[in-house]
Amino acid sequence: MHIVFFGDQHAESLGGAQVSMRLQRKYLERAGHTVTIVAPRMHSARGAAAAGDPGYVDLPSIPITADREYSLTWPGRRTDRFLDQALTRRPAVDLVHVQADFWGAYIGHRFAHRHGIPAVHTMHNRVDVGIAAVTPLHRPVLGALNLWRRMALRGIGVQPHAGDGWAYLAGIAAESRAVTAPSGHFARRLEQHGVFGSVDVIWNGIDDEVREQVLAAAPAERVPGRPRFIWLGRMSPEKRLLPFLEAVVASDVDAEFEIVGGGGERRAAERIAARAGRPGIRFAGRIGYADVLARIAAADAVVQTSIGFETQGMTPFEAATLGTPTVVSDPDIAGELRGGLWAVPSADDEPGRVAALAETLRLAADEIAAGRAPEPDPQVAADFRQSSRTAAMLEVYGRAIAG
């Protein structure tokens, strides 16, 4: 088959969905299929380095972040014409797989509708929670997004006229033959809110080969001692990096804390660490995939701090697959991990959540130092391998093509 992925952002940019698309492409091509990834052109050095890859169709775009990491392509007839022309140089398309929530979703479903190609949609984003985390004007923003969606997808499926996040997701999936979600808890919510009748649960995965290499290089046993915690992700409000650092300061534990990633809140995070005078807090910046996994394997615990936003939350699952437990703030993620974690108690407000996280960090540090850290569920490691995830997705593709 020739499968065309559509993303909101280039697959070489920072983000869990982008990592997942790169891995899906690798394992689908290994199985004999052709994959093309359509996304806005990047305006950073990494985008230039990827420009020669024939598997990418880079759409004309404008940068939308100061670091030029992320871009926007306007969906419309001009983009449609550019895309159709670009794909004449690739084999005939058998299936569209939309892995986007905004302009990439519009462009992908317009392409599928225009050419009568079956579409599968993977939902990666709780748009209502994400928008509410970054702006107090989330209701008018959601209303504007729904208006844009109806205009961009006019004539494609039944477009809901409601203005909330669930109507938005239902609209962008309106003509999909299958919808998948990267977690059971998100799939259940999509079904309950009428986004799609039956949602397939297919976790994002970990590269089988890189996992084996990382584990082969890791020590055979963890030696109890000064605990090493690692936080990984995009430095934006919905990820709750700043409350995490406030909790680190409040916990006053004798431990090392490594922060991996980048984004708009990095300077604010560094100021919190500097004011606290904590030499044990280190910012590693953005690093490569294999290095990320190696640092997870070397840590005593991963810390996951977003609440209600993640549709899966890849880092706790990567950690479980590498034998590393996690401090988990989101109860949905805690339930899906099935063990190998310290669950942060819920609280009614942010000061309460910070205090609960600080107490959980103290508990985790004590148990790590004493050699009593919980063990992740071994079944998670088996189920999270990308080879098994690709096999599951191929079943969905076959069903979608068969109609």
Side-chain angles (χ1 to χ4, degrees):
M1 289 186 291
H2 179 197
I3 304 127
V4 180
F5 292 171
F6 285 84
D8 286 319
Q9 297 302 330
H10 199 286
E12 298 296 333
S13 65
L14 184 69
Q18 293 91 305
V19 170
S20 177
M21 281 196 290
R22 294 199 302 269
L23 277 179
Q24 290 173 57
R25 176 191 177 190
K26 175 179 176 178
Y27 281 81
L28 284 167
E29 289 180 342
R30 184 170 292 178
H33 305 287
T34 300
V35 178
T36 300
I37 302 180
V38 178
R41 179 173 70 87
M42 285 181 73
H43 296 263
S44 65
R46 278 207 305 280
D53 188 329
Y56 291 139
V57 170
D58 295 350
L59 301 174
S61 68
I62 57 171
I64 56 173
T65 54
D67 60 4
R68 303 172 73 83
E69 180 81 7
Y70 302 116
S71 307
L72 179 150
T73 294
W74 190 263
R77 292 179 181 175
R78 181 178 297 180
T79 297
D80 293 343
R81 288 193 296 269
F82 180 95
L83 175 58
D84 288 350
Q85 179 61 35
L87 285 174
T88 61
R89 298 186 288 273
R90 303 285 283 168
V93 179
D94 297 290
L95 184 90
V96 164
H97 186 173
V98 176
Q99 306 199 49
D101 304 288
F102 302 105
W103 45 90
Y106 308 158
I107 294 164
H109 283 295
R110 286 168 67 100
F111 177 81
H113 179 80
R114 194 162 63 249
H115 295 282
I117 299 169
V120 171
H121 194 121
T122 293
M123 296 285 178
H124 283 289
N125 197 333
R126 275 287 305 268
V127 294
D128 53 346
V129 177
I131 292 170
V134 298
T135 174
L137 303 174
H138 59 279
R139 286 188 177 85
V141 169
L142 267 175
L145 268 178
N146 274 291
L147 177 60
W148 189 18
R149 179 258 303 167
R150 290 194 296 271
M151 292 172 60
L153 298 179
R154 184 181 292 116
I156 300 178
V158 177
Q159 291 296 314
H161 284 275
D164 63 9
W166 301 110
Y168 179 84
L169 294 178
I172 61 174
E175 257 188 18
S176 300
R177 293 196 182 174
V179 169
T180 76
S183 67
H185 63 83
F186 189 41
R188 289 192 300 272
R189 287 195 173 95
L190 291 169
E191 292 169 351
Q192 290 165 0
H193 289 275
V195 172
F196 201 77
S198 179
V199 178
D200 290 276
V201 179
I202 300 181
W203 289 353
N204 296 321
I206 189 171
D207 191 313
D208 302 39
E209 294 174 352
V210 176
R211 173 185 178 270
E212 295 306 319
Q213 292 166 5
V214 168
L215 289 176
E221 294 183 3
R222 296 183 186 275
V223 178
R226 191 179 188 218
R228 293 166 296 171
F229 295 91
I230 185 169
W231 184 99
L232 309 98
R234 182 174 64 251
M235 296 180 181
S236 53
E238 72 276 8
K239 298 291 188 176
R240 298 183 66 244
L241 171 60
L242 304 187
F244 163 63
L245 289 171
E246 292 169 4
V248 169
V249 174
S251 71
D252 197 31
V253 297
D254 182 19
E256 297 176 13
F257 294 90
E258 184 173 42
I259 315 298
V260 175
E265 290 195 330
R266 175 159 182 169
R267 289 186 180 178
E270 289 174 334
R271 285 196 293 270
I272 291 174
R275 283 199 304 269
R278 290 290 300 269
I281 301 175
R282 186 170 72 87
F283 292 84
R286 292 169 174 162
I287 59 179
Y289 178 70
D291 197 6
V292 165
L293 296 184
R295 294 187 191 213
I296 290 174
D300 292 304
V302 163
V303 184
Q304 178 274 326
T305 49
S306 62
I307 300 173
F309 169 74
E310 306 291 350
T311 55
Q312 178 183 11
M314 286 183 67
T315 53
F317 290 87
E318 289 167 334
T321 308
L322 295 166
T324 302
T326 306
V327 174
V328 181
S329 297
D330 191 311
D332 286 330
I333 295 175
E336 202 133 353
L337 279 172
R338 305 192 297 266
L341 57 94
W342 295 272
V344 180
S346 299
D348 294 331
D349 55 22
E350 192 67 328
R353 288 187 283 270
V354 169
L357 178 54
E359 181 57 35
T360 306
L361 290 172
R362 284 192 287 268
L363 172 63
D366 288 345
E367 294 190 352
I368 290 167
R372 299 195 307 271
E375 294 288 335
D377 187 330
Q379 190 60 45
V380 171
D383 292 344
F384 195 63
R385 294 171 185 258
Q386 184 59 47
S387 55
S388 72
R389 302 303 83 216
T390 296
M393 189 63 79
L394 282 169
E395 292 183 8
V396 174
Y397 288 169
R399 198 169 71 236
I401 289 174

